[in-house]
Amino acid sequence: MIGFIFYVVEQLLNLYAMVIVVWALLSWFPGASQSRLGLLLNRLVVPYIRLFDFIPPLGGISFSPLVAIMVLYLAQHGVSYLYLLMV
């Protein structure tokens, strides 16, 4: 049972990373962030991305989503390591 919980947490972190990628790709299309999907993704992603606002954009490109995804993957590996310690 505990293995299933760890698996679900890992998959949720992976899914959230994919949601961030889709959110970032929507910024390439004019008006896409104002669509229903864009508004939903904004509500899901922007509060987390704001944690990384201290990273300055370089050449007009924000690297906050990239750092946010890297933190999610570190958390995912941390969950995997915790599971290995418990087994």
Side-chain angles (χ1 to χ4, degrees), residues 3 5 10 16-17 23 32 35-36 39-40 42 50 56 64 80-81:
I5 293 171
E10 286 181 38
Y16 195 64
W23 175 81
S35 67
R36 294 180 96 177
L39 293 174
L40 174 66
N42 279 336
R50 282 191 188 145
S64 298
S80 298
Y81 185 71

Side-chain angles (χ1 to χ4, degrees), residues 11-25 41 45 69 72-73:
Q11 294 306 311
L12 286 174
L13 290 171
N14 196 26
L15 177 67
Y16 195 64
M18 286 189 260
V19 168
I20 292 173
V21 169
V22 172
W23 175 81
L25 290 175
L41 292 179
V45 172
I69 289 171
L72 283 176
Y73 281 131

Side-chain angles (χ1 to χ4, degrees), residues 80-87:
S80 298
Y81 185 71
L82 277 176
Y83 174 68
L84 290 176
L85 287 177
M86 295 182 77
V87 173

